[in-house]
Amino acid sequence: MPAWFEPLRRDHRSQQWAQRAKDERTRQCVEALSLLQRYIDRDLDASELEEFERHLESCRRCEAETKLYLDIKRSLADRRGFLDNAASFRLRQFAMDLRDRD
């Protein structure tokens, strides 16, 4: 390999650091999303709520997923009493698929 190319090559340490950072982000997302239902139900204590919202500020993926669930809850509340059995089944299936995805 030419000497001029050496600075462009990622060394092993930077690859390890990048992988550890990715693993840490993934762990944080899993922890945050484990609190999602309680967040939606407004059942988190103050420290959990602060931690969850801090994560949402820094993670667009979790923020989007939380917004989706809040939108679903709001939509269902607006339609209370008007949801047919087939739609209810599809919604439950969707929620189970999301849960099983991770």
Side-chain angles (χ1 to χ4, degrees):
M1 178 179 317
W4 60 268
F5 186 75
E6 195 62 34
L8 300 176
R9 191 174 60 141
R10 292 181 90 184
D11 68 11
H12 186 65
R13 286 176 302 188
S14 65
Q15 289 174 349
Q16 286 178 327
W17 180 86
Q19 184 60 47
R20 280 195 306 271
K22 181 180 177 186
D23 292 346
E24 177 62 18
R25 282 191 307 274
T26 300
R27 184 192 62 75
Q28 290 172 354
C29 290
V30 168
E31 287 179 11
L33 292 177
S34 73
L35 299 174
L36 180 58
Q37 187 60 52
R38 290 181 48 219
Y39 175 79
I40 290 170
D41 293 338
R42 297 181 179 175
D43 191 32
L44 295 178
D45 63 39
S47 65
E48 290 172 322
L49 179 61
E50 181 181 338
E51 181 181 338
F52 185 82
E53 289 179 340
R54 188 174 335 123
H55 179 74
L56 293 184
E57 289 173 4
S58 65
C59 181
R60 297 296 171 223
R61 192 180 99 200
C62 290
E63 179 187 40
E65 191 151 346
T66 300
K67 184 181 178 324
L68 172 67
Y69 276 90
L70 289 171
D71 288 347
I72 290 170
K73 181 179 180 179
R74 198 172 300 115
S75 176
L76 290 174
D78 292 346
R79 297 182 54 131
R80 187 162 288 161
F82 299 107
L83 190 63
D84 66 15
N85 288 336
S88 178
F89 175 79
R90 286 192 310 272
L91 182 61
R92 274 194 216 97
Q93 189 64 44
F94 174 72
M96 287 188 293
D97 290 345
L98 284 175
R99 180 197 64 203
D100 296 340
R101 176 177 59 170
D102 296 323

